[in-house]
Amino acid sequence: MKQRIITGVVAAALFLPVVIFGGVPFIIVTYVLATIGLFELFRMKHLRAFSMEGIISFLFLWTLLTREPYDGWLSALHVTKTDVLLIAVLLLLTYTVITKNQFTFDEAGFALLSTLYVGFGFYYFMETRFTGLYYMFYALFIIWATDTGAYFIGRAWGKRKLWPEISPNKTVEGSIGGIVCALIVAAVYQLCTGFFTSFPLLLVMTAILSIFGQMGDLVESAFKRHYGVKDSGNILPGHGGILDRFDSLLFILPILHFFTNVAL
C-alpha cells in the first residue's frame, strides 16, 4: 500500500501539470501512453511489438491518434482513418498468408481490436482535454470517486459478488457505492464550477459514466485473467501498467464526448 501511494503521488505530480498545460506536451504524453498500452496488450498475447504485425498495428495506432491540425497529411493523400483501417486489415490478413499461418487470423483480429480499443480511447482522451479542462477533471474525479467508493464500501459492506469469474473481489454493494460516491462528487463539482447547464442530466450522465468506468475495469480484468497475468505491465510500481490505470478512462471518454457534443 505504501508503494502504491508513493507511486500515485509521484505520477500525479508529473501527470497533472501536463494535463493542465495541454498543447503539444500533452499530445506527446498521450502518444507515449497509448504506445505503451498497446505494447502491454501485445505482450499479454505474446505478440512481438518489433515485428511486421507490430509495425502495422503501431502505425495504425498513431494514425488513429492524429487530430487537427496535425491530420492534414490524411487529407493531402485523400484518405480517411477508415481507409487506413481497411489497409491495416488487408496487410495483416496478407501477412497470415506470407507466414503460412504462423501469424494467425485470430492474432490479426487481436491486433486490430487492440489497436482500435487503445487508439480511440486515447484519441478521446485528447479530445476531452481540448474540449476543456472542466471536462477532463470531471472525468478524472468520476473515476477516482467510483474506484474509491467501490473499494471502501465493498470492503465494509460487500457480501454479494459482482462478477466472481472475472474479478473475485468486486461486490454488488461496492459497485453501487462507487456510483453513489461518483454522484456526490459530481454534485459538489457542479456546485463549485457550474459548468453543466442541466443538473439532472449531469446526474444521469455521471451514473452512466460510473457504470461504464467499472465495466472498463472489468474488461481489463477479463484480459488479464484470460491471458494469465496479474497486471498489464509493471511500469507503475504498486499499480501495474498503463492499461491498469487508464482502463476506466478508455471506456468513459468516448461516452463523455458523445454527451458533450450531442446531449449538452
Side-chain angles (χ1 to χ4, degrees):
M1 179 60 73
K2 181 180 179 181
Q3 185 183 51
R4 186 180 180 89
I5 293 172
I6 293 173
T7 301
V9 171
V10 172
L14 295 173
F15 178 68
L16 290 178
V18 176
V19 172
I20 293 170
F21 184 80
V24 174
F26 178 76
I27 293 173
I28 293 172
V29 168
T30 303
Y31 269 75
V32 171
L33 292 173
T35 301
I36 296 172
L38 184 57
F39 175 80
E40 289 175 350
L41 282 172
F42 266 56
R43 187 167 59 179
M44 284 188 205
K45 181 68 171 172
H46 300 295
L47 291 176
R48 293 175 294 116
F50 298 102
S51 61
M52 183 57 68
E53 63 268 26
I55 292 171
I56 294 170
S57 298
F58 282 101
L59 288 176
F60 179 40
L61 170 71
W62 298 330
T63 301
L64 286 178
L65 291 172
T66 55
R67 62 181 305 277
E68 294 182 354
Y70 305 106
D71 58 353
W73 63 274
L74 289 170
S75 300
L77 294 174
H78 303 289
V79 298
T80 66
K81 291 182 180 181
T82 303
D83 297 325
V84 179
L85 168 60
L86 178 59
I87 292 170
V89 171
L90 296 177
L91 288 174
L92 287 171
L93 292 179
T94 300
Y95 191 55
T96 64
V97 175
I98 293 173
T99 62
K100 300 178 181 178
N101 272 337
Q102 291 183 18
F103 175 70
T104 67
F105 182 84
D106 290 344
E107 289 171 335
F110 175 89
L112 283 169
L113 189 57
S114 296
T115 306
L116 289 169
Y117 163 58
V118 173
F120 276 117
F122 278 105
Y123 173 81
Y124 285 111
F125 182 62
M126 285 190 291
E127 285 297 304
T128 302
R129 169 59 187 89
F130 291 113
T131 299
L133 263 179
Y134 283 131
Y135 293 99
M136 177 60 80
F137 280 115
Y138 165 74
L140 292 172
F141 288 150
I142 292 306
I143 292 301
W144 292 339
T146 300
D147 288 348
T148 303
Y151 176 76
F152 285 106
I153 293 174
R155 288 197 64 177
W157 295 293
K159 296 185 182 299
R160 292 170 292 179
K161 297 296 183 181
L162 177 65
W163 221 311
E165 299 84 359
I166 299 298
S167 185
N169 293 326
K170 288 182 171 57
T171 63
V172 174
E173 294 81 4
S175 177
I176 295 172
I179 297 170
V180 172
C181 287
L183 290 170
I184 293 172
V185 168
V188 173
Y189 189 66
Q190 172 67 6
L191 290 173
C192 293
T193 63
F195 82 110
F196 273 92
T197 56
S198 172
F199 189 72
L201 180 58
L202 170 67
L203 296 180
V204 171
M205 183 175 71
T206 299
I208 293 173
L209 293 178
S210 181
I211 291 169
F212 273 89
Q214 294 183 60
M215 184 56 66
D217 185 55
L218 287 168
V219 166
E220 180 65 18
S221 295
F223 286 162
K224 293 185 289 188
R225 183 166 290 273
H226 179 72
Y227 293 111
V229 298
K230 182 179 183 295
D231 295 311
S232 65
N234 53 15
I235 194 171
L236 300 170
H239 290 264
I242 294 301
L243 291 182
D244 290 312
R245 292 299 89 207
F246 283 83
D247 49 10
S248 296
L249 275 175
L250 295 183
F251 256 62
I252 75 165
L253 291 178
I255 300 170
L256 177 59
H257 180 79
F258 168 81
F259 273 109
T260 54
N261 285 274
V262 176
L264 298 179

